[in-house]
Amino acid sequence: MSFGSSNNAKIDKKLEDELLVEEQKQRFHNQIHAFTDMCWEKCVDKPSNKMDGKTETCIANCVERFLDTNIFIAKRFSERFK
């Protein structure tokens, strides 16, 4: 009794797809950590129990600018390689 190669190919494809999803999740988590580290260093002078309005606004603006920049760069790359 032998296993068909198409069966193995289906399993390999499914495994490959699952690995790609996990890699994307990991990249997303890494990006979130990068946002957090960068914006924390830029905006938070000293940690306290509650974030003041200035710090909260700074963090929001920091993340928004970082996202805007990443989207702009991604669009430029996609235009360049069409």
Side-chain angles (χ1 to χ4, degrees), residues 72-82:
F72 175 78
I73 290 169
K75 284 181 181 178
R76 294 287 276 195
F77 274 117
S78 69
E79 290 170 2
R80 209 169 206 196
F81 296 109
K82 281 185 178 180

Side-chain angles (χ1 to χ4, degrees), residues 39-48 52 54-55 58-59:
C39 293
W40 181 270
E41 290 297 319
K42 178 178 177 54
C43 298
V44 179
D45 293 329
K46 47 188 160 179
S48 64
D52 64 6
K54 180 182 172 189
T55 303
C58 179
I59 289 173

